[in-house]
Amino acid sequence: MPSPSAPCAFRVSILVGAFTALALIRTLDTQSPGLSSTLARPTTGVFSNGLSQTLPRNRELVPNALSRQRKEETVAFLKDNMEKSELVFGMRYNGFKVKEIEALRKKLPEDSSMRIAMNTLVKRAGEEVSGFEGIGPACKGDNAWWFVGENIASGVKAYLAFEEECKKANKADPEAPVPVLTGGVMDGKFLDEAAIKSLKNLPTRQEVIAKIAGSIKAVPTKLARSVKQVPQKMAVGVSKLADGDDNKDLIIGDIFPKAEAEA
């Protein structure tokens, strides 16, 4: 009959063996750096169907892969928005609540949008889209990125209205945040805060179309006036020539006197 102390002795031997193995691994790792990383490398398992598959020893590889996938998706999203935009600029959002940013997003013009993204991803996207390679200097701090389409003035005015609201709130409560522009890019050129704000004076797309339509409408009227004047002048000339038939001594120069020669 086994002794009652046998199970306890067996457990103790297991613990001693485990500690010994751990100490041995640490000793070997000290003498040969990189052993731990080698042991953490993926292994290959063979399944019942005969196919082999690499199995990661470290479960952190799965989240890392998902993280890389999300970054690639974000870069693709940013590139798509840049390709549709005339102006892209960054706004510091430090201190603002999520509901404040969401409220601002709902007030944006139809062809403007805003997205919070990592500076490194925005810079990478800019490097891959023609005209936005110079976005790098604006990639500082925590930014909410504005993507403005053809109606540039409308997008800038939307920002200025938000900034004005924040300044009024800041007067009542000094702790209330006020946004700051970190810079942007338009037509391949980097713009600082002052340059971006000055774009509010640009005509909107509707204003440009209205001016072009007005110019086109004015052309037929001016042309008609010019054409109308031609027969009148011709009729006067013919009439004078007819009057000259009664006096054969007159010559064309008498009917249509030339301009006096300069002295």
Side-chain angles (χ1 to χ4, degrees):
M1 182 175 180
S3 171
S5 60
C8 294
F10 179 71
R11 293 193 187 97
V12 170
S13 64
I14 292 177
L15 291 174
V16 170
F19 280 116
T20 302
L22 181 60
L24 180 60
I25 291 175
R26 288 184 176 179
T27 302
L28 292 174
D29 190 49
T30 302
Q31 297 175 354
S32 178
L35 179 62
S36 298
S37 60
T38 301
L39 294 174
R41 290 177 182 173
T43 57
T44 302
V46 180
F47 295 86
S48 57
N49 57 7
L51 299 177
S52 62
Q53 180 176 346
T54 301
L55 303 175
R57 291 180 181 271
N58 192 343
R59 293 184 179 181
E60 293 181 358
L61 292 177
V62 176
N64 286 342
L66 293 176
S67 178
R68 285 194 297 271
Q69 181 181 355
R70 292 192 188 99
K71 288 180 180 179
E72 293 298 328
E73 292 173 353
T74 301
V75 170
F77 174 85
L78 294 172
K79 289 172 59 179
D80 181 63
N81 277 264
M82 286 181 178
E83 290 170 352
K84 298 176 182 177
S85 302
E86 299 294 330
L87 168 68
V88 175
F89 63 87
M91 180 194 79
R92 292 272 175 85
Y93 66 88
N94 302 74
F96 289 100
K97 297 179 181 178
V98 174
K99 62 180 183 180
E100 293 174 326
I101 297 297
E102 288 300 320
L104 170 60
R105 188 178 275 125
K106 293 178 181 179
K107 295 179 182 179
L108 297 181
E110 184 177 355
D111 65 343
S112 295
S113 62
M114 185 174 60
R115 173 69 179 256
I116 294 176
M118 294 175 60
N119 292 326
T120 54
L121 300 183
V122 173
K123 186 176 180 180
R124 176 181 165 188
E127 291 173 348
E128 298 180 13
V129 178
S130 178
F132 292 97
E133 297 90 344
I135 196 71
C139 298
K140 298 178 181 178
D142 298 323
N143 288 312
W145 295 95
W146 290 59
F147 300 90
V148 184
E150 294 180 345
N151 295 317
I152 297 173
S154 299
V156 174
K157 288 177 180 177
Y159 166 77
L160 292 175
F162 175 67
E163 182 186 70
E164 188 62 27
E165 290 178 4
C166 294
K167 287 181 177 179
K168 291 180 180 179
N170 183 262
K171 289 182 179 179
D173 179 12
E175 297 296 326
V178 176
V180 176
L181 297 182
T182 58
V185 173
M186 186 179 75
D187 293 334
K189 298 180 180 179
F190 180 80
L191 305 176
D192 59 14
E193 184 173 17
I196 294 172
K197 290 182 178 180
S198 68
L199 297 176
K200 68 178 182 179
N201 299 319
L202 288 178
T204 63
R205 184 169 180 269
Q206 289 76 10
E207 291 172 344
V208 172
I209 292 175
K211 288 182 179 179
I212 294 174
S215 300
I216 294 175
K217 186 177 180 180
V219 170
T221 303
K222 293 180 180 179
L223 182 60
R225 289 175 182 173
S226 300
V227 172
K228 185 179 180 181
Q229 290 175 358
V230 171
Q232 290 177 348
K233 293 180 179 179
M234 185 178 295
V236 172
V238 171
S239 177
K240 288 185 177 182
L241 285 172
D243 293 341
D245 288 341
D246 296 332
N247 188 353
K248 303 301 181 181
D249 295 329
L250 294 177
I251 60 175
I252 298 297
D254 296 326
I255 300 174
F256 297 104
K258 296 181 180 179
E260 296 181 1
E262 296 182 0

